[in-house]
Amino acid sequence: MVAYLVIREGSKWTDVFRLVEGESVTIGRAPTNQIVIKDERCSRSHAELFYEDTDWFLRDLESRNGTTVRGSQISSDYGLQPGDVFHIGNSSLAFVHDLAAAFPDSTELVGEDPSVEDETVAGALDEASIFEESPGATITHRKGQTKFLEPATTEDEAGIPKIGRAAAKLCRLAFELVKSTDVGVAAHLALDGLFENAQVDAGAILLLSRPNAESSDQTHQPPELEVVASRTDTEHSYQQVSKFLAETVLREGEGVLARNVLGDSTLGSRDSKGEIHTSSVICAPIRHAGQMLGLIHLYSTHPDLVPDPDDLEFTLAVADTVAVALTNLSRRQELAENLSQIQDENQQLRERLGVQSEIVGSSPVMLQVTREIARAAPSRATVLIRGESGAGKELVARAVHFSSARRKEPFVCLNCAALSETLLESELFGHERGAFTGAIDRKIGKFEAAHQGTLMLDEIGEMSPTIQAKFLRVLEGHPYERVGGSEAIKADVRVIAATNRDLEKDVAEGRFRRDLYFRLRVLEIVVPALRKRPDDIPELAQYFLQRFGAETGSKIRGFSPEAMEELLHYRWPGNVREMKNVVERAVVLAQGEMIEVDDLALTRLPTVGDSGEIPLEGELEFRSRSLAEVECEHIQATLQSTGWNKSQAAGILGIERSTLDRKIRRYEITRETR
């Protein structure tokens, strides 16, 4: 059933809105609403009407002043009944199925005129006739679609002047051209409209060819005309426009109407035999914003079809309309190409980031690591990444780099534990030819190679004290020299350091410089061991299974329940690196469609890095203890392993620093306690 909202502001009728089943309607002060009420007491998004089952409902969108029905503000969805009036600010809105029933207590809004022919209700009301402020206003017409966009019949055109018929056809043609998505389709539509109105029986739309930017021909030759659409209602095929006429129209930018051109090859057109069939010609330029795009060429071969000046006017109007349509199509195509290019670039960046910085895991601790990466990436500050070997410190470093403004610059990684002191200095700072035995050429150091990019130094705790001093000076922004050189070099590099060592303990024992430790630890990201995030084990196992399955062409579908249970209870001393190797071996050696427990090559090595953990059952003789005793011993051992660094201990234990302090007081744990 048709439903309406009749809107009144104070004593003035303002609007009638037709409600469509299945479509919700929002009301508010913001212009994005379907019904806009310009009242300060109305919120930007004030209320909503929606259709459910067979009824319309009103919902207040937590507005500032509320929505009132029957004197009370609604707090939940309100089912509207015909005749209900609700109030928003100074506006009253009546919900009715019959417009005559709106606001029965006021002056009659809609009257009836028996002389008006009864028509089908198909759309919005004629605003000009409804909203007269004088009483007794009458609805005269209601119609869903204008007849000017419908194909005209002979009866419709009877008695209408030619210029009126041409205007209606031009309106319909413009509407169709706007909807076209292809140049060829638009050109054929334009030709059909021209043949319908002008006295011609052949013609075409020709567009100027675009110059080839890659062509090596530097001569300034004019672009050629290409036929994109042609039509003829005669037995002869379309004949190309003469060169003289085309150049004249394109040069002067004016339309031409020529009659009695039979035998005039400068205006007419020749067929393959050289015979002239054209008697009258219309040629109009297609132009937009001063740029010539092509031309419309029409002609008549029958002496009874004689185009007149009105046909030329209509052709010029169509040409301008076609020019706008072609320009819009070109812009849409350009936007689509740019969007496609941007999407391809984004996909390439995602793939690049996915290959080099794939971090798998959705556990709370890994989500925290992801948030820390997002906070650290925009900064230029030095980052210290801590975690056990194989936990994914390099992946975190890559994620920081590729999420930063330096993502397009080099990412250089160097393992400080893999080189001797002399070689490490040469790798970091480079060397000149002849600096030492074997230095047969100049070598660029990692700092220079990572200029404007990121340098990751893995196992920073293995760096010798001598290199630490020089490294600290470079971190402070001072220039440095290559080994055996005298040229001062300064590089713009962001340093990310990684270690699995207890640097605080090394600082206390004098193996690591205190000032370098504080310089590196501007931002710190702790990568948890795999056993501390068991929720990620199934996800990681499945990821490696798909990866190695695709590489080897294996048909393995997954892990058996027993195998997955084994993976979940394993301690993973080698962390993610170990899991990668275990799954790769299982994919290669598994015989069935599922990976079984026997396919998993798990070790009995103890875990490293968490020296404060309680030994596993079976490693020591079991004795009964309460959970409080176990927790007390575990906290005490963790504090001792970190040199009583409470922040680090809290991170290892997975609790807040304040929680750790509370437990220390509860269990009366002190440094002297054993």
Side-chain angles (χ1 to χ4, degrees):
M1 183 177 293
V2 180
Y4 301 94
L5 271 185
V6 183
I7 308 169
R8 184 175 68 181
E9 295 182 4
S11 60
K12 181 181 178 182
W13 308 110
T14 60
D15 205 352
V16 172
F17 193 90
R18 184 173 183 267
L19 301 176
V20 180
E21 294 181 3
E23 296 183 7
S24 62
V25 178
T26 58
I27 307 172
R29 197 174 73 252
T32 53
N33 295 286
Q34 287 94 329
I35 299 178
V36 179
I37 297 178
K38 297 180 180 180
D39 187 338
E40 289 300 322
R41 296 178 60 193
C42 177
S43 300
R44 290 183 60 82
S45 296
H46 195 103
E48 177 186 22
L49 272 77
F50 61 94
Y51 188 83
E52 188 172 306
D53 295 333
T54 59
D55 299 314
W56 283 93
F57 291 86
L58 173 66
R59 175 184 296 165
D60 185 83
L61 300 178
E62 299 182 358
S63 61
R64 184 176 67 253
N65 295 309
T67 304
T68 304
V69 181
R70 303 183 186 278
S72 302
Q73 288 190 1
I74 62 173
S75 57
S76 59
D77 294 347
Y78 180 87
L80 291 171
Q81 300 296 325
D84 279 347
V85 178
F86 59 95
H87 303 276
I88 296 177
N90 195 40
S91 300
S92 302
L93 298 92
F95 174 81
V96 294
H97 292 308
D98 181 5
L99 288 169
F103 301 108
D105 57 334
S106 62
T107 304
E108 181 179 355
L109 174 65
V110 179
E112 293 195 12
D113 187 351
S115 63
V116 177
E117 192 174 321
D118 186 18
E119 297 189 10
T120 302
V121 177
L125 301 177
D126 182 15
E127 185 175 341
S129 61
I130 294 178
F131 297 115
E132 294 289 343
E133 294 189 18
S134 59
T138 303
I139 299 175
T140 59
H141 282 79
R142 292 186 294 196
K143 192 170 182 63
Q145 182 177 348
T146 172
K147 66 180 180 180
F148 295 113
L149 296 181
E150 300 174 353
T153 62
T154 305
E155 292 78 8
D156 294 334
E157 294 184 347
I160 300 177
K162 182 177 181 180
I163 189 172
R165 296 196 301 270
K169 292 175 181 178
L170 184 63
C171 177
R172 289 193 293 271
L173 178 59
F175 184 75
E176 293 297 326
L177 287 175
V178 168
K179 297 190 295 182
S180 62
T181 58
D182 181 76
V183 174
V185 173
H188 280 98
L189 284 172
L191 270 183
D192 292 342
L194 288 164
F195 273 62
E196 183 181 350
N197 191 76
Q199 301 182 69
V200 294
D201 55 15
I205 292 181
L206 304 93
L207 298 181
L208 291 169
S209 59
R210 295 181 180 179
N212 188 358
E214 299 178 356
S215 175
S216 58
D217 186 7
Q218 299 299 325
T219 59
H220 298 284
Q221 296 183 355
E224 297 181 356
L225 285 168
E226 298 178 355
V227 178
V228 295
S230 64
R231 172 177 167 177
T232 177
D233 294 344
T234 69
E235 60 183 7
H236 301 287
S237 61
Y238 166 73
Q239 302 171 28
Q240 183 80 7
V241 63
S242 69
K243 183 177 181 181
F244 172 79
L245 180 59
E247 291 179 352
T248 301
V249 172
L250 292 175
R251 180 179 65 254
E252 298 180 0
E254 295 181 355
V256 172
L257 168 62
R259 299 174 182 168
N260 302 321
V261 296
L262 185 64
D264 187 355
S265 61
T266 61
L267 296 179
S269 304
R270 293 182 181 272
D271 63 7
S272 58
K273 298 180 181 180
E275 298 178 355
I276 302 298
H277 296 282
T278 304
S279 62
S280 300
V281 177
I282 292 177
C283 197
I286 301 174
R287 60 200 166 187
H288 181 73
Q291 181 182 4
M292 202 66 64
L293 304 178
L295 54 83
I296 295 177
H297 176 223
L298 304 173
Y299 60 86
S300 169
T301 61
H302 198 282
D304 294 339
L305 292 176
V306 182
D308 57 22
D310 287 340
D311 293 334
L312 176 61
E313 292 286 351
F314 184 77
T315 305
L316 286 168
V318 172
D320 289 342
T321 306
V322 169
V324 174
L326 294 178
T327 303
N328 291 338
L329 279 173
S330 177
R331 289 175 179 172
R332 286 205 297 268
Q333 183 179 2
E334 183 179 355
L335 289 173
E337 291 174 354
N338 291 339
L339 178 61
S340 177
Q341 180 181 357
I342 292 172
Q343 289 174 341
D344 291 342
E345 292 176 354
N346 288 341
Q347 182 64 28
Q348 291 174 4
L349 289 174
R350 290 193 192 99
E351 291 176 356
R352 182 182 178 189
L353 183 60
V355 170
Q356 299 182 358
S357 303
E358 183 68 49
I359 299 177
V360 179
S362 55
S363 62
V365 290
M366 286 309 297
L367 293 178
Q368 177 63 27
V369 170
T370 303
R371 287 191 290 267
E372 292 175 357
I373 291 172
R375 288 196 294 265
S379 171
R380 299 182 58 182
T382 306
V383 181
L384 178 61
I385 302 176
R386 311 179 77 146
E388 294 182 14
S389 179
K393 297 188 292 297
E394 183 175 343
L395 294 182
V396 172
R398 289 182 182 274
V400 172
H401 170 74
F402 287 112
S403 300
S404 70
R406 298 172 179 254
R407 63 177 67 90
K408 295 183 180 180
E409 304 302 331
F411 177 83
V412 180
C413 186
L414 178 64
N415 192 323
C416 299
L419 301 170
S420 64
E421 179 178 334
T422 304
L423 289 178
L424 179 59
E425 183 179 10
S426 173
E427 286 292 323
L428 279 175
F429 308 113
H431 63 253
E432 297 289 348
R433 179 179 180 181
F436 50 84
T437 303
I440 59 176
D441 204 351
R442 170 186 285 185
K443 177 180 175 61
I444 300 298
K446 299 299 184 185
F447 267 100
E448 286 184 80
H451 180 61
Q452 295 186 341
T454 303
L455 173 62
M456 179 196 175
L457 297 177
D458 200 4
E459 305 300 345
I460 191 71
E462 305 295 336
M463 187 180 288
S464 68
T466 304
I467 304 298
Q468 290 178 29
K470 188 173 183 179
F471 177 56
L472 175 61
R473 182 171 176 81
V474 177
L475 276 182
E476 295 291 350
H478 297 286
Y480 64 92
E481 299 171 355
R482 300 189 188 98
V483 177
S486 58
E487 178 186 355
I489 302 171
K490 191 171 184 178
D492 175 18
V493 176
R494 182 183 190 179
V495 173
I496 299 178
T499 184
N500 61 358
R501 294 175 61 95
D502 185 353
L503 289 186
E504 289 82 0
K505 184 178 180 180
D506 289 346
V507 169
E509 296 177 357
R511 290 195 297 268
F512 199 83
R513 292 179 63 99
R514 181 183 297 269
D515 47 4
L516 178 58
Y517 167 74
F518 290 117
R519 183 64 182 83
L520 291 174
R521 195 174 173 267
V522 178
L523 299 173
E524 185 178 51
I525 299 177
V526 178
V527 183
L530 183 55
R531 62 185 171 279
K532 292 185 176 294
R533 48 185 182 114
D535 294 344
D536 292 334
I537 291 177
E539 186 176 353
L540 279 164
Q542 194 63 33
Y543 168 79
F544 288 127
L545 175 62
Q546 293 177 355
R547 173 178 168 182
F548 295 121
E551 290 179 2
T552 61
S554 173
K555 303 299 182 182
I556 297 176
R557 296 187 290 108
F559 297 85
S560 67
E562 296 78 10
M564 182 56 67
E565 191 71 17
E566 188 73 13
L567 293 178
L568 289 170
H569 286 87
Y570 183 58
R571 296 289 290 170
W572 298 109
N575 291 292
V576 181
R577 183 185 291 118
E578 182 185 5
M579 171 176 278
K580 172 186 172 183
N581 297 329
V582 167
V583 175
E584 182 176 13
R585 178 185 183 277
V587 169
V588 173
L589 300 180
Q591 299 295 321
E593 293 185 347
M594 305 292 288
I595 294 179
E596 303 293 343
V597 175
D598 294 340
D599 299 321
L600 303 175
L602 304 178
T603 71
R604 294 185 176 273
L605 291 175
T607 58
V608 295
D610 289 336
S611 58
E613 291 189 6
I614 301 299
L616 294 175
E617 181 179 351
E619 295 180 6
L620 294 177
E621 183 179 353
F622 175 79
R623 66 181 180 86
S624 300
R625 290 174 295 176
S626 66
L627 286 176
E629 289 180 289
V630 173
E631 184 178 44
C632 176
E633 293 179 8
H634 185 58
I635 292 175
Q636 179 182 343
T638 305
L639 287 168
Q640 289 175 351
S641 70
T642 61
W644 270 77
N645 184 319
K646 294 183 180 179
S647 297
Q648 185 180 357
I652 294 174
L653 294 170
I655 60 177
E656 298 291 335
R657 168 72 181 266
S658 58
T659 303
L660 177 61
D661 288 333
R662 187 165 59 252
K663 290 180 180 294
I664 290 174
R665 291 193 297 271
R666 180 195 304 169
Y667 297 128
E668 298 180 351
I669 301 174
T670 63
R671 285 201 178 202
E672 294 75 22
T673 303
R674 287 289 181 183

